[in-house]
Amino acid sequence: MQRLSIRHRIFVGTMAVILGFVVVTSFVMDRLVERFLDRELSSVLARGEAAYHRFAAIRGGLLGEKARSMAQVPQLRALLNTPEIDEESFAFTADSMKEVAGAPLLVFGDARGNLLYHSLDRGEYGASLLERPGVAAVLVGRPYTGFWSDGDAFYLVSAAAATIEGEVLGFVCLGYPVDEEAAADLRHITGHDVTVLHDGAVLTASWEDELPPSLAAGSSLSPLIEQELNGARENVRLEIENLEILATAVRLDDETVLVLSRPLNDVVRPFAAAKHNITLLGLGFALLALLACERLAKRIGRPIQALSRAADDLAHGDLAAKVEPTGEDEIGDLGRHFNDMARRIEALVAETNEKARAAQAASEAKSLFLATMSHEIRTPLNGVLGFNELLLETDLTDEQREFVTTAKRSGEDLLSIINDILDFSKIEAGKLEFEEVEFSLRTLLDHAFEPLQPVIRNKEIELHLDVAPAVPDRCLGAVSRLRQILQNYASNAVKFTMRGGIRVRAEVVAKDSDGFLLRVAVTDTGIGISAEDQERLFHPFSQVDGTTTRRFGGTGLGLAITRNLAELMGGTCGVESEPGAGSTFWFTARVKRVPDAAQPAPALPSRSDATGDCERRDKRILVAEDHPINRRMVSLILKKAGWEHAFAEDGEEALARLAEDSFDLVLMDCQMPNMDGFEATRRIRADEEGTGKHLPIVALTANTMRGDREACLEAGMDDFVGKPFKREELLAAVDRFLGAGSLTDAGPPPSS
């Protein structure tokens, strides 16, 4: 026998209860049904009204957020901050922002409330907008969301002030029309018929059924209806053209009312007529129907309550939640399906957690791989660059000098590629370091192009460096990162310019009490870039020419790193270019003012005046280095400089040499067999405790990832020189500790 479905049981039981209930007393049921319908429809209207308020809050919030975002666009604020704004220039900027806004109504005004731009060309340029709702409030820094009447249209608007350092420069207003399309959206959202009244007249309406003629746009409602709506504190019944509706009024502003309504004709009247007929039927089934429904309710309600509790437990993280299925009907099936779902969710969560652990392990492995590869590549590269530098100081034929110079330049290019890859990895991990120091922008520009001067002279390119008078002579900022961006731009400009010139322009585009926003632009007369290629320039691993026949090399990381560096320094970057007409690469970055009391740091003594030959012969250096090529290179550098030195191939041998002999400085590699440089340093410092002695130790290592310098200093080392290093860097570190003056006066190590 086919089982009776729950749907059929509920239907039969409900019909029996209703039939018996109506038969018991027609008079009482008549009143109860009326009250029931009023209450239910009122509840529906209340939910519709709540839905509208949620929608209005979200829509208004999003619109307000968009208005505030557009008000803070740097180009807009810079233009608003320009005295005597040119109408045509402002209109050009506003038209470009209109596409971004995505709103039909876009209005810009100045700090006095005068019109600068109207997307619908309503109002003259310079006309006052102070009579518009909310404009006066926005001009004192308070955002506004409300309604505007613009011509024969009505808009939901949000306005926000454009400011710099708290000063209001003007305002931005975005708006969406309250029209038939908007009314249709509101009907869909609230689930009710929608009518918008403005000043007693119908502004727009959207009904599920045919709209009454009296509610056409522009028509006026009767005074009685308008009075009922305006004075209603609760839902009211209205009759419009013999159509009875239950309506509620939502006041949008002083003159505008949103009416949500539900028709009653098709619900109340047919149901009232049906009640009269139903009272004649089924009096004898009333008691039986009530008993059956009670039993059915228990059978259905209990398992559903259990299922609800289990679902709530599952939602709160109890993956072991389950129910005990009862019966072989739909409720039993639902319980079994719920248990299956809970088991699958538990398995999925376990799988997700496992993948998350694997991803974390992969990330850690990537960081370890990068650190290892950095060390393994920099160690032999230190020998390549160092010996080439030493070789250039010997007597060579012109051909030999050309070969050595080419090999040295290739090694430096390889080092630049390694640094780009490591910088990009640090940026991805959020571990890139910034150190703010005092610097001169004019000197920084000179130094950025100094290594490129031979190529510039060879190509006969004209170079112009232009620093605006408003740029301060001294600034405080991340000079190493600014130099990195400038050298990237400079290298690209020289690389892609065959003839003509390169102009560098530096200026201040904004300032406040803390500092300045600098803008530096590098303009060349090179090959130019198409608009399509410009979109890919600042993305990682992207190049304009990616073919195997490309003319110019590179990793495709330089400009991506530039973009990230500029953003981390509070600015941005971009390019303006046309094929065949050259390019302008620019960036902005925030720098701080130099305090008035700040004095330039005294220069460290150079090798030429810090240490005499006699003094060098009195000092001995121990070099702890396991790599034979690097030992040979360091030996040649120290020997040429006149320093006495000895070697140890690991930490254990270094400790043994120090125990046997006296040394004035240790150059300590970090990664060595048997005992590394960190452990050796810690033991040296432990032996010094209580003696008052302090042997200077300088880390000489290829570990240059984030935290490596701090690890060296924490282990007790006094300074840090990263491989590959130049001869001057190594000798400068030696002079800092063995130069003129006592060893204890060396001071803190400089930034690397």
Side-chain angles (χ1 to χ4, degrees):
M1 179 179 178
Q2 186 176 5
R3 65 186 181 184
L4 188 64
S5 68
I6 291 179
R7 180 174 63 85
H8 291 151
R9 295 180 215 173
I10 294 176
F11 174 80
V12 172
T14 302
M15 288 300 297
V17 171
I18 293 176
L19 179 61
F21 187 71
V22 173
V23 169
V24 170
T25 171
S26 177
F27 176 77
V28 174
M29 280 298 297
D30 185 68
R31 291 184 175 274
L32 289 177
V33 169
E34 285 288 336
R35 292 181 60 186
F36 171 79
L37 288 175
D38 281 348
R39 185 171 60 252
E40 286 300 308
L41 290 176
S42 297
S43 175
V44 170
L45 284 176
R47 291 196 296 271
E49 181 179 355
Y52 162 76
H53 285 301
R54 288 195 299 273
F55 166 76
I58 295 172
R59 184 66 175 270
L62 293 176
L63 191 60
E65 184 63 26
K66 182 178 288 186
R68 289 191 292 275
S69 177
M70 293 192 65
Q72 300 308 314
V73 172
Q75 293 88 339
L76 174 62
R77 293 194 295 174
L79 193 58
L80 288 173
N81 199 28
T82 303
E84 301 298 327
I85 303 174
D86 178 68
E87 177 180 0
E88 184 177 349
S89 300
F90 195 94
F92 176 79
T93 300
D95 286 339
S96 63
M97 295 179 67
K98 178 182 177 182
E99 297 182 2
V100 179
L105 178 64
L106 177 61
V107 177
F108 293 99
D110 61 20
R112 296 185 299 274
N114 296 328
L115 178 65
L116 296 178
Y117 175 83
H118 197 302
S119 61
L120 303 178
D121 294 326
R122 293 174 182 164
E124 296 181 358
Y125 180 81
S128 176
L129 297 173
L130 292 176
E131 76 281 3
R132 292 301 185 96
V135 171
V138 171
L139 293 179
V140 294
R142 297 198 302 269
Y144 170 77
T145 298
F147 294 86
W148 278 14
S149 177
D150 200 329
D152 57 351
F154 197 66
Y155 292 88
L156 169 66
V157 300
S158 279
T163 62
I164 291 184
E165 301 178 6
E167 179 184 358
V168 176
L169 305 177
F171 66 91
V172 177
C173 179
L174 299 175
Y176 290 90
V178 181
D179 52 14
E180 292 183 3
E181 182 178 355
D185 290 341
L186 287 175
R187 179 170 60 81
H188 177 71
I189 291 167
T190 62
H192 303 307
D193 296 335
V194 170
T195 307
V196 181
L197 307 179
H198 180 66
D199 197 18
V202 177
L203 182 66
T204 184
S206 177
W207 284 34
E208 182 177 3
D209 297 324
E210 184 178 355
L211 188 69
S214 61
L215 294 183
S219 61
S220 298
L221 292 178
S222 68
L224 176 61
I225 294 177
E226 182 180 355
Q227 181 180 359
E228 288 180 346
L229 283 173
N230 288 337
R233 295 186 178 179
E234 298 178 346
N235 304 322
V236 296
R237 288 196 181 192
L238 300 176
E239 227 176 281
I240 301 177
E241 299 179 11
N242 298 322
L243 178 65
E244 188 178 13
I245 64 173
L246 185 67
T248 187
V250 181
R251 184 160 295 281
L252 305 182
D253 60 21
D254 293 340
E255 299 178 348
T256 310
V257 175
L258 173 67
V259 180
L260 302 177
S261 60
R262 297 276 292 198
L264 294 177
N265 298 53
D266 297 334
V267 178
V268 176
R269 293 177 182 175
F271 189 79
K275 286 190 298 180
H276 179 71
N277 297 326
I278 292 174
T279 55
L280 304 178
L281 303 175
L283 185 59
F285 301 100
L287 182 60
L288 181 61
L290 289 174
L291 294 175
C293 286
E294 175 67 17
R295 185 175 180 181
L296 182 61
K298 290 182 179 180
R299 178 177 176 80
I300 297 177
R302 289 175 181 173
I304 290 180
Q305 288 177 351
L307 184 61
S308 177
R309 287 192 296 269
D312 185 67
D313 292 341
L314 184 63
H316 286 81
D318 183 7
L319 300 180
K322 64 177 182 178
V323 296
E324 294 296 334
T326 58
E328 297 297 327
D329 53 17
E330 288 90 338
I331 293 181
D333 291 341
L334 185 60
R336 285 183 285 273
H337 291 323
F338 175 86
N339 291 338
D340 290 341
M341 178 189 70
R343 285 193 294 270
R344 292 178 184 177
I345 291 176
E346 185 177 11
L348 184 60
V349 170
E351 182 182 356
T352 302
N353 291 336
E354 182 63 29
K355 289 182 178 179
R357 287 191 291 269
Q360 179 64 26
S363 177
E364 294 174 357
K366 174 185 174 182
S367 299
L368 178 61
F369 173 78
L370 286 173
T372 303
M373 291 306 299
S374 172
H375 180 275
E376 295 303 321
I377 295 175
R378 286 175 181 272
T379 297
L381 192 57
N382 184 56
V384 173
L385 293 177
F387 275 106
N388 274 285
E389 187 174 357
L390 293 172
L391 192 57
L392 287 172
E393 297 178 359
T394 64
D395 293 331
L396 300 173
T397 65
D398 291 342
E399 184 179 33
Q400 290 171 336
R401 185 168 298 277
E402 178 187 356
F403 292 165
V404 176
T405 301
T406 301
K408 181 174 179 291
R409 186 179 299 116
S410 298
E412 291 172 344
D413 290 342
L414 177 58
L415 179 61
S416 176
I417 292 173
I418 295 171
N419 288 336
D420 277 353
I421 295 173
L422 292 178
D423 275 351
F424 184 75
S425 299
K426 292 176 184 177
I427 291 172
E428 276 192 326
K431 297 180 179 180
L432 193 66
E433 295 179 337
F434 286 84
E435 183 179 12
E436 292 186 339
V437 297
E438 184 180 344
F439 70 96
S440 167
L441 182 61
R442 293 168 176 82
T443 303
L444 181 61
L445 293 177
D446 290 335
H447 288 176
F449 280 88
E450 184 176 353
L452 301 170
Q453 288 295 341
V455 181
I456 292 175
R457 288 192 294 269
N458 185 50
K459 290 186 174 183
E460 298 182 355
I461 299 173
E462 294 184 6
L463 176 62
H464 301 279
L465 302 180
D466 181 13
V467 180
V471 177
D473 184 58
R474 306 296 298 175
C475 305
L476 191 66
V479 63
S480 62
R481 300 305 176 184
L482 291 171
R483 183 186 298 113
Q484 186 174 351
I485 296 177
L486 284 170
Q487 288 177 342
N488 188 292
Y489 279 1
S491 175
N492 284 343
V494 173
K495 180 192 299 184
F496 295 107
T497 302
M498 301 297 108
R499 63 180 64 86
I502 298 173
R503 177 176 294 276
V504 183
R505 170 69 176 175
E507 59 186 339
V508 174
V509 294
K511 58 183 178 180
D512 53 33
S513 58
D514 295 329
F516 309 88
L517 183 65
L518 292 178
R519 184 182 190 273
V520 181
V522 180
T523 302
D524 61 58
T525 58
I527 59 178
I529 308 167
S530 68
E532 179 182 355
D533 291 331
Q534 291 177 35
E535 297 179 358
R536 298 186 288 113
L537 272 181
F538 292 93
H539 295 285
F541 311 107
S542 177
Q543 294 178 320
V544 171
D545 182 8
T547 65
T548 56
T549 60
R550 60 193 176 106
R551 183 178 177 185
F552 305 99
T555 62
L557 287 176
L559 292 178
I561 294 173
T562 293
R563 182 193 65 184
N564 284 281
L565 291 178
E567 291 175 351
L568 290 172
M569 290 188 289
T572 185
C573 62
V575 61
E576 301 164 3
S577 181
E578 291 183 11
S583 305
T584 295
F585 282 85
W586 59 269
F587 74 92
T588 58
R590 289 196 60 80
V591 297
K592 298 180 180 178
R593 299 176 185 270
V594 177
D596 295 336
Q599 298 292 333
L604 292 170
S606 64
R607 288 189 303 106
S608 61
D609 58 9
T611 313
D613 291 339
C614 294
E615 190 174 351
R616 290 176 188 157
R617 285 195 295 270
D618 294 337
K619 306 288 178 65
R620 300 191 66 218
I621 301 172
L622 176 62
V623 181
E625 169 65 66
D626 66 307
H627 198 282
I629 296 177
N630 284 332
R631 285 201 305 271
R632 174 61 175 162
M633 184 186 71
V634 173
S635 178
L636 290 173
I637 293 175
L638 295 177
K639 185 176 181 181
K640 280 193 172 187
W643 293 108
E644 293 290 333
H645 58 279
F647 287 99
E649 296 187 8
D650 56 40
E652 291 181 350
E653 186 177 348
L655 293 177
R657 295 296 301 268
L658 290 173
E660 297 171 356
D661 207 343
S662 176
F663 292 91
D664 301 284
L665 175 69
V666 177
L667 299 178
M668 183 77 74
D669 188 16
C670 290
Q671 291 191 9
M672 294 182 293
N674 300 322
M675 181 187 294
D676 61 28
F678 299 109
E679 180 62 24
T681 299
R682 283 190 284 267
R683 294 195 181 187
I684 292 172
R685 296 300 181 226
D687 293 339
E688 291 175 344
E689 289 184 2
T691 65
K693 298 180 181 180
H694 184 86
L695 177 64
I697 302 175
V698 176
L700 199 65
T701 176
N703 294 343
T704 59
M705 297 290 286
R706 175 183 173 91
D708 290 334
R709 172 185 174 83
E710 289 74 10
C712 293
L713 300 180
E714 184 179 351
M717 301 183 191
D718 300 279
D719 205 347
F720 180 96
V721 176
K723 300 176 184 177
F725 54 79
K726 294 184 178 180
R727 184 180 62 138
E728 289 77 8
E729 295 175 339
L730 176 61
L731 295 179
V734 173
D735 283 342
R736 279 196 287 274
F737 296 96
L738 300 186
S742 66
L743 298 180
T744 59
D745 295 335
S751 300
S752 61

